[in-house]
Amino acid sequence: MGTSELFLIAMIIVFTAPYLFWRLFRTDYWAPLVVVQIIAGILLGPGVLGKLFPAYYATVFTPPVIGQLNGIAQWAVMIFVFIAGLELDLKQAWRRRGETAVTAGFALGMPLLFGAIAGAILLRSPGWLGPKGGHVQAIAGIGMACAVTALPILVLLMEKLAILRTALGQRMLRYASLDDIAIWGVLALILLDWERVGRQLGFLVAFGIAAILMRMTMRAIAERDRWYAALIWLAVCGFAADWAGLHYMVGAFLAGAVIDAQWFDEARMDRFRETILLAVMPVFFLSTGLRTQWGVGGTAVFGAAALLLVASVAGKLIGVRIAGRLLGWQRGEAGLIGWLLQTKALIMIIFSNVLLDKQIITSETFTALLLMAVASTMLTIPMVAPRLKRMPELIGKTD
């Protein structure tokens, strides 16, 4: 068969396998469709399907097919990160900046510290540090991966729990928004290349000027034209950031962050995000799964994932508990918020993909981080739902 036929076979697998599993086994409570798609990507990768059926895997997932899948995945995830940046609402965070900064700071800082310690432990053994990664870079990257809260997944899970539009939901969005900014800021620092620092500083200066011009343009044109302008802006920013050595994901986030969400129709934006999740993001999950490796041994990878999961969960819960003590929260409130902020999945996977692209970490480290992100996200609803039933008064609490 030709490349087109093999590509379509891969697409059939991408959309059929996770959907059927999600529907037949009704996994929504502990594994939403997006999590099932990520797991399916891992299972379809070389570490599982490639080992069990090497001939079949080599026949379908040929280099040309993988190249096509990666192209779709790259554009899909750029759009998704752009939307995440676009939907940041920093005005609410600023109005309650004291409480928001304390909570978001400890919710990010403690798992970052715990994750960095776990990363330092891993890097004492060979097979975890990428060929172009320094120890400080890799430790900071692993630590931040443990600290991430995935704002888009948090929104999806809060919709399922019927708390998105409540006071509690708005609090969670404030905390996650500040953490999102910190995540991409830390990533930019990790990727800072002293040999290309002039080019990177030039990009930031040019981006600042271009952002002002872009905002002026967006105000001047009709809403229907803003969508086309936004996609052109996204591609330009992604290219410029990648050319400067900061990776196209940093450019995608910055492209969205400087544009106001109110310039777009909210209902249309929601449909656009849902369409991206439905139609193209599953290709990114498969593309991600194709990058998983178990070269240091399956036991070692699962052991590393367990260590990272403990660091991530414990760090987040301890950090939020400290914030709760400082802010005088009631009993049980910190636990509920800490578990809600455990959602990682998409953003952490995107973050780890960048580290892998830049060869700061190895495929084995990436696999361990991926397993940790899936497990952390799957814990969220089972741990949060019972707490919401026991403490319904927290839903309406504003701070």
Side-chain angles (χ1 to χ4, degrees):
M1 287 185 288
T3 299
S4 297
E5 288 87 353
L6 293 174
F7 169 77
L8 291 173
I9 289 174
M11 294 294 283
I12 291 170
I13 296 171
V14 167
F15 285 96
T16 303
Y19 176 76
L20 289 179
F21 186 90
W22 175 66
R23 271 299 182 202
L24 292 175
F25 294 97
R26 302 180 182 275
T27 66
D28 241 7
Y29 184 73
W30 50 273
L33 179 58
V34 63
V35 173
V36 176
Q37 289 170 332
I38 294 168
I39 295 172
I42 297 172
L43 296 177
L44 292 170
V48 181
L49 182 66
K51 293 291 186 183
L52 295 175
F53 307 102
Y56 170 75
Y57 181 85
T59 299
V60 175
F61 296 105
T62 62
V65 170
I66 292 176
Q68 290 186 352
L69 292 171
N70 286 342
I72 296 174
Q74 180 175 333
W75 183 238
V77 77
M78 283 183 67
I79 294 175
F80 193 84
V81 171
F82 170 78
I83 295 172
L86 180 64
E87 292 184 330
L88 286 179
D89 188 359
L90 298 181
K91 293 179 181 177
Q92 286 294 328
W94 179 251
R95 291 191 188 102
R96 298 182 179 274
R97 52 190 174 274
E99 179 261 346
T100 302
V102 169
T103 306
F106 279 103
L108 188 76
M110 289 305 293
L112 172 59
L113 174 62
F114 282 34
I117 294 171
I121 294 172
L122 286 181
L123 294 184
R124 294 175 64 184
S125 302
W128 305 103
L129 179 65
K132 294 184 179 180
H135 275 74
V136 174
Q137 278 182 307
I139 289 172
I142 293 171
M144 183 53 76
C146 290
V148 165
T149 293
L151 180 58
I153 299 301
L154 178 62
V155 169
L156 292 175
L157 295 187
M158 288 199 299
E159 281 182 336
K160 292 183 181 299
L161 292 166
I163 61 171
L164 178 60
R165 305 301 179 189
T166 67
L168 175 62
Q170 296 308 299
R171 288 175 66 189
M172 302 309 303
L173 293 180
R174 295 202 308 270
Y175 306 151
S177 294
L178 281 192
D179 283 353
D180 253 20
I181 294 174
I183 288 161
W184 295 103
V186 169
L187 179 62
L189 290 175
I190 292 172
L191 299 180
L192 191 62
D193 184 348
W194 290 106
E195 293 182 1
R196 306 171 73 180
V197 68
R199 183 182 292 188
Q200 292 172 343
L201 290 175
F203 162 75
L204 293 175
V205 172
F207 175 79
I209 297 171
I212 295 172
L213 297 175
M214 184 62 187
R215 289 178 61 83
M216 293 171 60
T217 301
M218 294 293 274
R219 289 192 187 98
I221 60 179
E223 197 263 347
R224 67 178 181 275
D225 294 318
R226 289 172 182 164
W227 292 92
Y228 296 99
L231 292 175
I232 296 169
W233 170 242
L234 167 61
V236 170
C237 290
F239 165 77
D242 211 61
W243 172 82
L246 290 175
H247 204 274
Y248 58 84
M249 292 297 182
V250 176
F253 178 78
L254 291 174
V258 298
I259 296 178
D260 294 347
Q262 59 262 33
W263 292 340
F264 300 89
D265 178 71
E266 184 177 353
R268 190 174 179 185
M269 178 63 70
D270 288 342
R271 290 195 302 270
F272 183 57
R273 182 181 61 250
E274 291 168 2
T275 300
I276 295 299
L277 273 170
L278 172 68
V280 287
M281 282 304 287
V283 180
F284 169 71
F285 301 140
L286 173 64
S287 178
T288 296
L290 295 177
R291 310 180 75 176
T292 55
Q293 295 288 343
W294 313 82
V296 297
T299 303
V301 171
F302 278 106
L307 173 65
L308 295 170
L309 179 64
V310 171
S312 172
V313 171
K316 188 76 72 175
L317 293 176
I318 291 172
V320 176
R321 186 172 295 276
I322 293 172
R325 288 285 182 87
L326 294 175
L327 296 170
W329 290 350
Q330 70 185 67
R331 183 182 178 88
E333 188 172 355
L336 174 65
I337 291 174
W339 280 110
L340 274 170
L341 291 175
Q342 293 295 344
T343 55
K344 288 179 169 47
L346 279 178
I347 298 299
M348 201 234 68
I349 294 170
I350 294 167
F351 182 89
S352 301
N353 263 287
V354 176
L355 298 180
L356 182 61
D357 282 344
K358 294 297 183 179
Q359 300 183 56
I360 294 171
I361 60 175
T362 63
S363 294
E364 288 77 14
T365 312
F366 173 76
T367 303
L369 289 170
L370 187 60
L371 293 173
M372 179 271 286
V374 170
S376 176
T377 305
M378 289 175 65
L379 286 171
T380 302
I381 288 184
M383 298 302 295
V384 169
R387 286 173 165 79
L388 282 175
K389 290 182 180 179
R390 292 197 302 267
M391 298 176 288
E393 70 279 2
L394 291 181
I395 295 175
K397 186 176 179 181
T398 56
D399 54 35

